[in-house]
């Protein structure tokens, strides 16, 4: 491992590209993407080291820290490789390079750049080498990436400089204390027992972050059994570069929340355990590199769709920021969704896939706002994976299993309900993804590799469109898709009938984000409908139309009710007029005043 080495050129085998283009990917394909990420990471490190060579710093200079890290790599190659390729390391690299280019802000640049010293300390601990580095401390704390957080007792607050000494896997950390004297702690990360520093509690949770007793907070992990042994995935609530953009302070989960994460993760692993195949929706949890809990939730979070927050970054392959869902099924779907984004981001680092002017003017069926082409491509790839996930759930239900946390044989009534719900989500996501794929192919902005990728998705989705789905689930999916597109146009598109009107100015100036209340609400068929939406979901557009009309009497241009009225009317009276209403629903609402 050396940043000075030029990574050898390599070519992706056609077989692996074909797997990824279909929306899936085998372990070999994912490993190839990681090889590409490694090459990119080393190039970025070389660029960063060049930029830091002349940076004034009170810390150990970057070249010396890099030397410590390389020496450790010669003795503990695999752990140091994992450290350099960890998602948070990628997030740090991207952030510091943005800062060097003046496109991000933060504390003094030497403090952000000094995270390299923390990486070197961690590498030295893995290798058992001797090292001494001046490191940045925040409120007396030093993050050891992939291991945990060391915290000095009675430390001076704010940004300070500490001294980290390593020897034989043991760390002695010293820095300024609150009373003008040096304070120190000695710990042996990853082992039981304590060092001889004041307040040291190595291997102990202490009383939680912020307590004088918590000198060492180990990294949380989510564990699950695998054929090769127990797999541990970081549940990262400590690393400052764990998020998608700017650094974050530690946000330690309490014990109850950590146990809740483990329970729902174990269930998600069971849900994902579908044997055979490498198609879209299949995910080996061992491919995930970290899960970052978003915010702090109670032990029992609200049911969907209240909690639906997840995100990922192309700089942090295999990581995902997630608000803990209320069920294992929801977490499994989210893991699939976000890992699809990671795969596509890695492909975009290897190949130019499209020529995107980044103008946000396209309809995305899973967003409230117009999107650019790159956003469409990401959405199409992610939701093709989600469609495959629900296709597997549908197959599991038809086999007589719930596909839930224990995968036990389900009673017939439960089996039918699971089949209805899975069929709905499969039908909805395949339909929406195919619509976006059609847009991407029609725009003529794809490179040869991009066209091959999107054509692969199209073949997958076209095959799925011919697969049977319960009739009622299919009807609700088509209705939900029409409702979303109609409401999106009502809220985003300016009501002009001038065909020559410039496309860039056709969007409403008063558009704003809006909640998608129907995608999940239509997943199940209401047995006793009351609202207009419930009547429409139950397959009674006549009753729905009357109730939408009542709502529109008070506000004739209210987008949610007007979208429902248009779709219900088109369902009752299909034909040319209905097609026109669905194609340009914004023409039915009055021009904005003023």
């Amino acid at each position: 491992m050396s940043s000075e080495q030029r990574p050898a050129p390599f070519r992706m085998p056609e077989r692996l590209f074909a797997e990824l283009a279909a929306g899936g990917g085998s372990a070999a394909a994912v490993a190839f993407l990681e090889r590409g990420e490694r090459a990119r990471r080393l190039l970025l490190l070389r660029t960063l080291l060049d930029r830091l060579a002349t940076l004034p710093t009170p810390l150990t200079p970057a070249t010396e820290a890099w030397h410590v890290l390389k020496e450790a790599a010669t003795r503990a190659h695999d752990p140091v490789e994992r450290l350099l390729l960890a998602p948070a390391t990628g997030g740090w690299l991207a952030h510091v390079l943005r800062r060097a280019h003046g496109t991000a802000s933060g504390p003094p640049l030497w403090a952000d750049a000094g995270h390299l010293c923390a990486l070197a300390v961690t590498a030295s601990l893995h290798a058992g080498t001797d090292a001494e580095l001046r490191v940045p401390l925040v409120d007396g704390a030093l993050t050891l990436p992939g291991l945990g957080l060391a915290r000095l007792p009675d430390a001076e607050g704010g940004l300070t400089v500490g001294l980290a000494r390593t020897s034989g896997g043991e760390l002695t950390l010293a820095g300024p204390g609150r009373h003008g004297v040096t304070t120190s702690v000695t710990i042996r990360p990853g082992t039981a027992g304590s060092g001889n520093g004041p307040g040291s509690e190595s291997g102990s949770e202490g009383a939680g972050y912020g307590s004088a007793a918590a000198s060492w907070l180990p990294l949380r992990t989510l564990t699950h059994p695998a054929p090769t042994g127990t797999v541990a995935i970081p549940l990262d609530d400590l690393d400052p570069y764990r998020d998608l953009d700017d650094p974050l302070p530690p946000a330690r989960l309490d014990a109850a929340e950590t146990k809740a994460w483990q329970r729902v993760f174990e269930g998600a692993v069971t849900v994902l355990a579908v044997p055979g195949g490498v198609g879209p929706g299949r995910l080996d949890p061992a491919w995930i590199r970290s899960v970052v809990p978003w915010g702090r939730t109670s032990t029992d979070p609200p049911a969907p769709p209240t909690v639906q927050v997840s995100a990922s970054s192309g700089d942090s392959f295999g990581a995902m920021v997630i608000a803990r869902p209320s069920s294992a099924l929801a977490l499994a779907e989210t893991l699939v969704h976000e890992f699809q984004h990671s795969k596509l981001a890695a492909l975009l680092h290897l190949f130019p896939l499209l020529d995107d002017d980044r103008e946000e003017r396209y309809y995305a069926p899973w967003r409230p706002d117009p999107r650019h082409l790159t956003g469409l491509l990401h959405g199409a790839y992610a939701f093709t994976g989600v469609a495959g996930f629900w296709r597997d759930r549908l197959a599991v239900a038809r086999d007589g299993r719930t596909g839930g946390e224990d995968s036990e044989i389900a009673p017939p009534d439960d089996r039918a309900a699971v089949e209805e719900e899975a069929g709905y989500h499969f039908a909805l996501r395949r339909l929406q993804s195919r619509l976006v794929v059609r847009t991407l192919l029609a725009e003529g902005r794809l490179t040869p590799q991009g066209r091959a990728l999107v054509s692969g998705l199209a073949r997958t989705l076209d095959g799925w469109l011919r697969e049977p789905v319960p009739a009622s689930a299919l009807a609700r999916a088509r209705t939900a898709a029409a409702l979303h597109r109609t409401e999106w146009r009502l809220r985003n598109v300016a009501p002009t009938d001038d065909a020559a009107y410039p496309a860039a100015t056709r969007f409403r100036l008063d558009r704003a984000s809006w909640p998608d209340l129907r995608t999940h609400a239509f997943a199940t068929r209401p047995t006793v409908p009351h609202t207009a939406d419930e009547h429409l979901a139950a397959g009674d557009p006549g009753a729905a139309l009357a109730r939408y009309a009542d709502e529109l009497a008070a506000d004739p241009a209210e987008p949610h009710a007007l979208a429902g009225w248009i779709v219900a009317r088109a369902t009752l009276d299909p034909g040319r007029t209905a097609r026109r209403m669905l194609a340009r629903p914004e023409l039915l609402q009055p021009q904005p005043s003023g």
Side-chain angles (χ1 to χ4, degrees):
M1 180 207 71
S2 170
S3 70
E4 290 81 5
Q5 296 172 354
R6 179 181 295 274
F10 57 95
R11 295 174 59 87
M12 175 175 281
E14 291 184 8
R15 169 182 60 85
L16 300 184
F17 185 86
E19 290 177 3
L20 294 164
S26 62
V30 172
F32 189 93
L33 293 178
E34 287 193 305
R35 282 181 56 201
E37 289 299 289
R38 180 185 187 277
R40 178 176 182 268
R41 192 74 58 87
L42 291 176
L43 288 171
L44 292 177
L45 274 168
R46 179 68 272 164
T47 300
L48 181 61
L49 289 172
D50 289 343
R51 285 187 168 269
L52 297 182
T54 58
L55 176 70
T57 177
L59 308 175
T60 297
T63 53
E64 295 181 27
W66 181 248
H67 177 76
V68 171
L69 200 150
K70 286 203 301 181
E71 181 188 1
T74 62
R75 300 193 185 187
H77 176 270
D78 290 349
V80 177
E81 279 279 305
R82 288 194 296 270
L83 177 64
L84 284 177
L85 298 180
T89 303
W92 164 71
L93 262 173
H95 174 74
V96 177
L97 286 171
R98 285 194 295 267
R99 293 214 55 194
H101 284 92
T103 57
S105 59
L109 180 55
W110 61 261
D112 272 332
H115 188 68
L116 180 62
C117 296
L119 289 166
V121 170
T122 305
S124 179
L125 288 169
H126 280 300
T129 57
D130 295 346
E132 181 175 295
L133 298 101
R134 297 185 301 279
V135 295
L137 304 177
V138 178
D139 296 331
L142 174 66
T143 299
L144 300 178
L147 293 177
L149 185 79
R151 185 173 184 273
L152 292 171
D154 299 317
E156 181 181 326
L159 177 63
T160 58
V161 176
L163 184 65
R165 294 188 180 93
T166 61
S167 181
E170 186 174 82
L171 167 68
T172 298
L173 181 65
R178 280 200 294 260
H179 307 295
V181 297
T182 298
T183 180
S184 66
V185 66
T186 299
I187 58 175
R188 184 176 288 274
T191 65
S194 62
N196 54 17
S200 174
E201 289 195 22
S202 176
S204 169
E205 286 294 313
Y209 183 73
S211 164
S215 294
W216 173 243
L217 296 180
L219 182 68
R220 308 277 200 192
T221 59
L222 298 170
T223 61
H224 69 93
T228 56
T230 299
V231 174
I233 296 169
L235 180 64
D236 197 345
D237 54 6
L238 296 176
D239 197 293
Y241 301 97
R242 66 191 184 276
D243 198 36
L244 305 182
D245 193 7
D246 295 330
L248 292 176
R252 192 62 160 173
L253 300 180
D254 59 33
E257 178 67 6
T258 303
K259 290 178 180 177
W261 263 104
Q262 179 62 36
R263 285 195 301 270
V264 75
F265 180 74
E266 288 173 357
V269 170
T270 302
V271 170
L272 292 169
V274 178
V278 296
R282 304 293 176 89
L283 172 65
D284 182 346
W287 297 344
I288 300 168
R289 295 295 168 252
S290 74
V291 173
V292 178
W294 183 83
R296 293 286 298 271
T297 66
S298 63
T299 303
D300 296 313
T306 306
V307 177
Q308 285 182 7
V309 178
S310 68
S312 54
S313 167
D315 297 319
S316 307
F317 181 83
M320 45 202 75
V321 180
I322 302 175
R324 177 173 59 83
S326 58
S327 71
L329 186 65
L331 179 58
E333 179 188 12
T334 301
L335 296 175
V336 168
H337 179 117
E338 295 304 336
F339 197 75
Q340 289 289 102
H341 282 302
S342 278
K343 289 192 298 181
L344 182 63
L347 279 171
L348 284 165
H349 292 157
L350 294 173
F351 307 107
L353 297 179
L354 74 170
D355 175 22
D356 188 5
D357 59 12
R358 307 295 286 188
E359 188 173 351
E360 297 180 332
R361 61 177 182 270
Y362 299 98
Y363 170 61
W366 32 79
R367 295 277 302 203
D369 52 343
R371 294 292 282 160
H372 45 63
L373 285 174
T374 300
L376 280 194
L377 181 60
H378 262 285
Y381 199 80
F383 279 99
T384 297
V386 170
F389 170 83
W390 286 108
R391 178 174 178 261
D392 283 340
R393 306 286 77 70
L394 181 60
V396 167
R398 285 171 172 166
D399 286 343
R401 296 178 182 272
T402 63
E405 291 156 37
D406 53 10
S407 287
E408 290 296 327
I409 298 296
D413 290 346
D414 290 348
R415 195 183 313 165
V418 172
E419 186 175 350
E420 273 281 316
E421 182 180 7
Y424 165 83
H425 287 295
F426 172 48
L428 177 65
R429 297 313 188 188
R430 72 184 182 184
L431 177 65
Q432 293 176 327
S433 299
R434 189 61 181 92
L435 174 64
V436 172
V437 163
R438 187 180 301 118
T439 301
L440 289 164
L441 290 171
E443 279 301 301
R445 308 289 289 273
L446 296 167
T447 66
Q449 295 92 344
R451 180 162 289 275
L453 178 77
V454 176
S455 297
L457 295 179
R459 285 190 293 272
T460 295
L461 294 164
D462 287 345
W464 287 351
L465 286 170
R466 294 189 288 269
E467 295 185 3
V469 170
S472 59
L474 180 60
R476 291 197 311 278
R478 289 173 173 168
T479 300
L483 286 166
H484 187 278
R485 183 185 179 278
T486 303
E487 187 168 353
W488 183 93
R489 290 193 67 92
L490 291 173
R491 292 183 182 273
N492 288 290
V493 180
T496 174
D497 202 17
D498 184 356
Y501 210 75
T505 58
R506 288 185 57 238
F507 289 108
R508 299 177 64 105
L509 297 178
D510 60 347
R511 68 183 187 271
S513 184
W514 50 279
D516 176 14
L517 302 175
R518 285 164 165 150
T519 292
H520 283 273
F522 274 60
T524 56
R525 187 177 188 275
T527 54
V528 184
H530 297 288
T531 67
D533 277 0
E534 288 172 353
H535 279 285
L536 194 55
D540 189 351
L545 190 68
R547 284 162 176 77
Y548 288 129
D550 291 341
E551 295 176 27
L552 291 170
D555 184 355
E558 200 285 311
H560 186 84
L562 184 56
W565 185 90
I566 291 171
V567 172
R569 176 71 181 275
T571 304
L572 282 171
D573 188 17
R576 179 176 298 180
T577 300
R579 289 195 297 272
R580 286 177 177 171
M581 283 195 305
L582 291 173
R584 300 292 301 279
E586 66 275 7
L587 298 181
L588 295 181
Q589 67 175 0
Q591 294 279 355
S593 60

